[in-house]
């Protein structure tokens, strides 16, 4: 599952405390870090169910855009690699 109810564990593991830390980790993410990206998204979705300010903060600080852009970038890169290897 992509949504992780234990996102707090991932946040502690990577020493993330605020949106700047989230954006820094998103920028550094590789394909192996999809669980990290999922944890960041999970925090906003799960907390956003009871605290609507989470949604606003995610948009205002660019976290949602950065997440979706990074996931798209990683998937497209690795999709291209897979297609390239299958043609050879």
């Amino acid at each position: 599952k992509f949504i992780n109810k234990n996102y707090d564990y991932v946040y502690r593991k990577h020493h993330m405390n605020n949106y700047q830390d989230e954006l820094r980790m998103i920028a550094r993410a590789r394909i192996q870090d999809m669980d990290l990206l999922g944890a960041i998204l999970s925090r906003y979705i799960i907390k956003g169910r009871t605290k609507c300010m989470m949604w606003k903060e995610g948009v205002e600080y660019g976290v949602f855009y950065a997440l979706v852009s990074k996931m798209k970038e990683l998937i497209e890169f690795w999709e291209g690699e897979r297609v390239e290897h299958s043609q050879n």
Side-chain angles (χ1 to χ4, degrees):
K1 292 182 178 182
F2 196 65
I3 300 300
N4 181 356
K5 292 180 182 178
N6 295 319
Y7 63 86
D8 278 333
Y9 169 76
V10 177
Y11 270 70
R12 284 192 306 271
K13 179 181 173 186
H14 294 282
H15 308 288
M16 292 189 295
N17 297 309
N18 53 42
Y19 77 91
Q20 290 105 338
D21 294 337
E22 293 167 345
L23 291 172
R24 181 176 40 80
M25 295 305 289
I26 292 167
R28 292 182 183 175
R30 299 172 306 175
I31 194 72
Q32 296 91 340
D33 300 318
M34 287 301 258
D35 61 325
L36 168 67
L37 300 177
I40 295 170
L41 183 61
S42 296
R43 176 177 178 262
Y44 283 90
I45 290 173
I46 293 169
K47 277 192 165 184
R49 291 178 182 166
T50 56
K51 186 179 175 190
C52 63
M53 285 300 292
M54 292 300 295
W55 293 99
K56 182 178 185 246
E57 290 173 12
V59 171
E60 204 170 277
Y61 298 133
V63 176
F64 288 144
Y65 180 78
L67 270 170
V68 172
S69 296
K70 180 55 98 168
M71 287 187 271
K72 182 177 186 283
E73 172 192 323
L74 293 171
I75 291 168
E76 286 177 349
F77 175 81
W78 288 99
E79 253 321 286
E81 288 285 316
R82 189 181 65 134
V83 169
E84 193 175 291
H85 286 294
S86 67
Q87 291 175 351
N88 290 334

